[in-house]
Amino acid sequence: MASYPPFQLNKPRFDQGTFLGRYKHFLDIIDPRTLFTSKQQLEDAIKLLDDYKNGTVPEGTTDEQLWVAQKRKQAIIHPDTGQKIVMPFRMSGYVPFGTPIVVGLLLPGQTLGTTVFWQWLNQSHNACVNFSNRNATKETSAKRFLMGYGGAVSSACSIAVGLNLLIRRASGFSPATRMLIQRFVPFPAVAMANVCNVTLMRFSELWEGIEVMDRDGKTVGTSLIAAKMALRETALTRIVLPAPILLIPPIVMATIENKTTLLKRFPRFNLPLQAIVCTAAFAFALPLAISLFPQMSEVPVSKLEPEIQQATTSDTVIYNKGL
């Protein structure tokens, strides 16, 4: 049974100074069970947290109830805007809504058309996830969103198609080897495209900066340097994220095909088995990748702009890295 420490409002339940603590924290954030939170349950959770803030918590309320309420709110409500994130674009929806796309990316025998389609669908989903979980202390116009989306999707498709064509034209490989290599093409394509995607979808942060806060949550100012740090950290997670998702399933499926007769005897099992392997790899990879850095990152004031240094007496400030 899970143990619950004394409740702290707007603070993580687990130590964010360690990788294990961040991993446990993000397991809560991506818990797909929060997708089934009803409107009434969300309203009750928000009210309970407001009551705690105002010192009017109902008698008998436990730490567990408070932590569960905060978990539901954090999984559904954006910390900067206070608005609900659309279900498929929440971190808790990333695995269940993203797995069918990953299966499509890894299907053998891809044509040029199917490659473009699955890459477009994957990067469209990623673009919306990146935008929905960005640092939103500064508003992003619809024009900039569309420009970022167009650049992100076109770069992904270009990279994927280019790599596929390069492999098809390589005459030194046997058909079987070429097919095997093509299974691994999605990883470099998606990894490079993910960096382009998150950079373009959140480019306005580099242009306008993001807000930094002191330990009391008071806004100190807007920093372009912190925005670069936030984007760099997020981009790194997007490189790590697809590695297990796109490298493990091809290895597992190739092993099953070559070392067993299962799929030869039951070819209908190919797609369901691939879906199971992809789901497991996705569920394994997501919390690992986003746990590389805390969502609320801390930076020494001395590394930021002079105006930020002059605006606070704190040694460090905090910013929302986004997810």
Side-chain angles (χ1 to χ4, degrees):
M1 186 173 179
S3 60
Y4 291 87
F7 181 72
Q8 297 183 73
L9 185 64
N10 297 327
K11 299 290 184 182
R13 177 179 154 201
F14 304 99
D15 179 15
Q16 297 300 281
T18 67
F19 178 82
L20 180 60
R22 294 194 296 273
Y23 179 78
K24 290 180 178 179
H25 169 70
F26 285 116
L27 282 179
D28 264 358
I29 297 296
I30 69 168
D31 186 347
R33 290 175 298 180
T34 60
L35 295 172
F36 300 100
T37 300
S38 67
K39 181 180 178 181
Q40 187 60 53
Q41 286 176 317
L42 179 60
E43 290 175 352
D44 290 344
I46 294 173
K47 184 179 184 305
L48 181 59
L49 295 174
D50 287 341
D51 288 344
Y52 179 89
K53 184 177 181 180
N54 297 325
T56 57
V57 176
E59 188 176 348
T61 301
T62 64
D63 287 317
E64 179 179 357
Q65 290 173 311
L66 288 165
W67 282 117
V68 170
Q70 183 156 274
K71 170 182 174 176
R72 286 174 173 167
K73 181 181 177 182
Q74 288 180 337
I76 299 170
I77 304 296
H78 194 286
D80 295 331
T81 65
Q83 301 296 314
K84 287 177 66 174
I85 300 174
V86 180
M87 190 181 291
F89 310 141
R90 298 173 195 165
M91 277 298 167
S92 56
Y94 208 176
V95 172
F97 287 96
T99 296
I101 300 173
V102 173
V103 173
L105 284 168
L106 294 174
L107 289 175
Q110 298 269 11
T111 65
L112 181 61
T114 56
T115 297
V116 171
F117 171 76
W118 287 114
Q119 287 291 344
W120 165 77
L121 194 59
N122 179 53
Q123 292 304 324
S124 294
H125 184 233
N126 285 345
C128 291
V129 170
N130 289 333
F131 185 78
S132 298
N133 294 278
R134 72 197 186 284
N135 179 301
T137 53
K138 298 292 181 181
E139 189 174 349
T140 301
S141 67
K143 180 180 179 182
R144 283 191 177 170
F145 169 80
L146 292 174
M147 288 175 61
Y149 170 78
V153 173
S154 60
S155 66
C157 293
S158 298
I159 292 168
V161 171
L163 286 173
N164 266 309
L165 290 176
L166 190 64
I167 290 169
R168 287 179 185 178
R169 292 177 179 176
S171 57
F173 298 122
S174 67
T177 303
R178 191 179 293 115
M179 177 69 75
L180 182 63
I181 293 174
Q182 278 184 309
R183 282 189 166 181
F184 289 92
V185 163
F187 171 63
V190 170
M192 288 187 285
N194 279 356
V195 174
C196 294
N197 193 317
V198 73
T199 302
L200 291 168
M201 291 308 300
R202 295 177 56 177
F203 184 75
S204 61
E205 295 174 33
L206 296 176
W207 187 262
E208 299 177 1
I210 60 175
E211 291 182 356
V212 294
M213 300 157 285
D214 60 22
R215 290 187 178 275
D216 297 324
K218 180 183 176 183
T219 300
V220 175
T222 299
S223 172
L224 292 172
I225 296 175
K228 292 177 183 177
M229 292 178 176
L231 206 53
R232 183 165 56 243
E233 291 169 355
T234 307
L236 184 56
T237 67
R238 294 303 191 271
I239 294 173
V240 174
L241 175 59
I245 302 171
L246 298 175
L247 294 181
I248 292 176
I251 294 172
V252 172
M253 294 303 295
T255 302
I256 293 173
E257 290 171 3
N258 297 327
K259 302 294 183 180
T260 73
T261 60
L262 175 66
L263 295 181
K264 292 177 182 176
R265 292 166 55 200
F266 306 101
R268 293 181 181 177
F269 286 1
N270 192 306
L271 191 58
L273 184 60
Q274 186 143 243
I276 292 170
V277 173
C278 287
T279 302
F282 205 162
F284 167 75
L286 181 58
L288 287 177
I290 60 179
S291 298
L292 291 175
F293 306 99
Q295 182 174 357
M296 302 303 293
S297 295
E298 194 169 0
V299 59
V301 173
S302 58
K303 292 186 177 182
L304 301 181
E305 293 88 344
E307 55 267 28
I308 299 293
Q309 298 177 31
Q310 295 170 6
T312 182
T313 56
S314 300
D315 294 329
T316 61
V317 289
I318 300 167
Y319 60 88
N320 176 17
K321 171 184 69 67
L323 290 175

